[in-house]
Amino acid sequence: MSESYNFNKILKNLNILYIEDEKNIRLNIKKTLELFCENVFDAENILNAKEILTKQRIDIIISDINLPDMSGIDFVKEIRIRDKTIPIILLSAYTEKEFLLEATKLKLVDYLTKPINFKDLNNALQKCVEEIL
């Protein structure tokens, strides 16, 4: 049995929370995530994300940095206060140094720039599974 098969099998049963305020991007990425994982919960803002977190077991968080009610970085800082281990991937259209420097302090699995390509997303999700194991 190959290692990637095991990763894919494990990933299939995990719960992903995906936060993105732009509806078209959110729907497209959610469809892509559903190729990897059966349970993808999507939120258009941090308020919705927090609601989902109280009701569902979430194994992986994928969040945009630029959100209307709070930055993804501030949200991750809040998460890290109560959960130091949950794998988190941040997405951004920005590659500015201050975002990257801030992000490095948050124990992220990955920081992907938009538009996201399938291979980078797949690699990031594989790293998340490794973190969980």
Side-chain angles (χ1 to χ4, degrees):
M1 207 178 290
S2 76
E3 201 171 293
S4 70
Y5 171 77
N6 283 337
F7 278 131
N8 293 340
K9 198 172 172 184
I10 293 165
L11 188 56
K12 201 82 175 140
N13 296 305
L14 297 178
N15 294 343
I16 295 177
L17 171 59
Y18 172 53
I19 311 154
E20 168 64 65
D21 61 319
E22 292 179 48
K23 188 178 181 185
N24 289 339
I25 295 172
R26 188 173 68 252
L27 296 176
N28 286 332
I29 300 283
K30 183 180 181 181
K31 280 182 198 160
T32 303
L33 288 169
E34 286 170 339
L35 298 172
F36 298 104
C37 181
E38 285 172 21
N39 299 312
V40 179
F41 300 92
D42 62 311
E44 63 185 328
N45 57 42
I46 299 300
L47 191 66
N48 291 4
K50 286 179 178 179
E51 212 171 280
I52 292 167
L53 281 166
T54 62
K55 294 177 181 164
Q56 301 293 335
R57 185 198 87 232
I58 298 297
D59 302 298
I60 298 169
I61 297 172
I62 302 173
S63 178
D64 188 21
I65 283 184
N66 245 0
L67 294 163
D69 49 348
M70 175 189 254
S71 86
I73 286 181
D74 289 337
F75 175 61
V76 174
K77 285 177 184 173
E78 269 188 25
I79 294 286
R80 286 292 178 235
I81 291 168
R82 8 176 245 288
D83 189 335
K84 304 240 183 285
T85 60
I86 188 167
I88 299 174
I89 300 168
L90 276 181
L91 310 175
S92 180
Y94 304 102
T95 52
E96 276 115 37
K97 243 187 232 161
E98 68 269 12
F99 278 121
L100 293 167
L101 288 172
E102 196 71 26
T104 59
K105 300 171 192 167
L106 300 172
K107 195 187 171 284
L108 300 174
V109 169
D110 220 331
Y111 181 100
L112 303 177
T113 52
K114 294 180 188 177
I116 303 156
N117 78 49
F118 188 83
K119 189 176 179 212
D120 290 342
L121 182 60
N122 185 36
N123 290 341
L125 289 170
Q126 298 291 353
K127 285 186 215 168
C128 288
V129 172
E130 286 173 22
E131 287 278 319
I132 290 168
L133 293 177

